[in-house]
Amino acid sequence: MLTKSTFKMATLGVALVSVATAVNADDAADYPTKTIQFLVAAGAGGGTDNFARVVRPMFEEALGGANITVINLPSASGALAHQRTATGAADGHTLDFASTTLVTSLAAGQNPIGLDQLTPVARMQSDVMALFVNPERYPDFESFLEYAKENPGEVTVGGTHTASPDHVSFLSLRDASGLDMNFIPYDSTGNATANVLGNNIDATTTSLSPLLSYMEAGQMMPILVFSDERLADYPDVPTTAEYEWDLTDGNDRAIFVHADTPEPLLKRLEDTFKRFTTLRSTRHTPSE
């Protein structure tokens, strides 16, 4: 049974592609030859940032003490991180840590970098989306639902930038529930959370992992999870399915490199990530 303090990162959907650039096996064996950059396509303190910083020490150890720097590039829905990866050297030393935002921002026309310029190496984390509140303001979803119905247009939900998984989840909830609510985009999960705690907004739609410390402190709590089944760690929190809404949602996180990265280096990276068999996981299991 997974708990909110125990993570398990299974390398799901690891993908490699053949590329024209040639490199011999000795070059891949010598990797890395310089500092590795983890470019995080999100702000500090969010789920993708936490994911990268959990991976960092294990990746360093797996490579025999490699030097790794983590750089947050949240601008333009993370497009700057994708652009730097796609236009940098195809030598495996720039790794792009991205979430589902890569897909949603591409669909929204905010991100010009697609899979013709990036190659996925590993999808390692899956996170459930939820509606979070300050429990002193809304003790449960029924109280939130009642207030929203009695005060149409006055409820405000925050989350990371437009076209992010946070925003998409909000739109899905608004449409499924019929509630008249507004969305405010913030540049980071931390800013959205601070505005919930300060009672500037009513709630935030985000994934579970960024708010674990707030939940453990009792400052923030999920009151609705976008899932078919209740979560083992939060058995009292209802799901969207219980309201008969056709709505389940999550946020996956993965690692990308330059599309022209030579195949031996891709294989070296893939094998390194596969060594992470039992790590911290943000995938909370359904209750039984």
Side-chain angles (χ1 to χ4, degrees):
M1 178 72 65
L2 298 177
T3 67
K4 53 181 175 282
S5 61
T6 304
F7 288 88
K8 178 182 178 186
M9 285 184 181
T11 50
L12 302 174
V14 176
L16 294 178
V17 296
S18 298
V19 291
T21 307
V23 65
N24 61 51
D26 290 337
D27 290 335
D30 291 339
Y31 174 87
T33 59
K34 59 184 180 181
T35 298
I36 298 172
Q37 290 187 338
F38 281 6
L39 303 185
V40 179
T48 305
D49 180 58
N50 292 342
F51 167 52
R53 294 180 190 277
V54 167
V55 168
R56 175 184 175 178
M58 293 180 285
F59 197 69
E60 288 177 333
E61 182 179 0
L63 291 175
N67 185 31
I68 299 175
T69 60
V70 179
I71 302 172
N72 293 90
L73 297 170
S75 300
S77 301
L80 183 57
H82 311 321
Q83 184 179 42
R84 285 195 184 183
T85 304
T87 59
D91 59 5
H93 288 79
T94 300
L95 277 63
D96 184 358
F97 282 70
S99 70
T100 306
T101 300
L102 174 65
V103 178
T104 57
S105 62
L106 183 63
Q110 298 174 340
N111 168 33
I113 308 299
L115 292 182
D116 57 333
Q117 295 171 273
L118 297 174
T119 291
V121 177
R123 179 169 67 90
M124 297 179 65
Q125 188 188 51
S126 186
D127 219 346
V128 179
M129 301 297 289
L131 180 70
F132 287 88
V133 298
N134 180 340
E136 293 183 357
R137 186 168 184 179
Y138 299 106
D140 51 37
F141 183 63
E142 282 300 320
S143 61
F144 176 90
L145 188 62
E146 181 180 358
Y147 181 84
K149 288 180 177 179
E150 293 178 353
N151 299 273
E154 293 186 16
V155 169
T156 302
V157 178
T160 52
H161 47 81
T162 303
S164 68
D166 296 1
H167 188 209
V168 172
S169 292
F170 163 79
L171 294 174
S172 299
L173 176 61
R174 185 196 64 184
D175 292 347
S177 66
L179 296 175
D180 184 2
M181 303 183 294
N182 303 299
F183 183 83
I184 294 181
Y186 294 92
D187 60 359
S188 69
T189 299
N191 282 341
T193 302
N195 278 276
V196 174
L197 294 175
N199 290 323
N200 297 316
I201 59 177
D202 295 275
T204 180
T205 45
T206 190
S207 53
L208 291 165
S209 63
L211 300 187
L212 286 177
S213 61
Y214 292 96
M215 287 186 275
E216 291 170 354
Q219 296 175 300
M220 295 279 287
M221 285 300 296
I223 55 172
L224 181 73
V225 292
F226 294 40
S227 173
D228 287 322
E229 301 178 57
R230 295 197 178 196
L231 305 181
D233 288 328
Y234 309 100
D236 297 329
V237 179
T239 71
T240 48
E242 292 174 41
Y243 286 87
E244 299 183 348
W245 297 332
D246 184 17
L247 168 57
T248 58
D249 204 357
N251 190 1
D252 289 354
R253 298 183 179 94
I255 301 160
F256 299 81
V257 293
H258 194 296
D260 293 333
T261 301
E263 188 171 353
L265 281 177
L266 287 174
K267 184 65 166 59
R268 176 70 191 279
L269 290 169
E270 176 193 359
D271 290 344
T272 301
F273 285 119
K274 279 185 175 179
R275 294 175 62 182
F276 304 160
T277 54
T278 305
L279 313 177
R280 302 177 67 195
S281 168
T282 54
R283 188 174 183 85
H284 293 241
T285 57
S287 59
E288 299 176 342

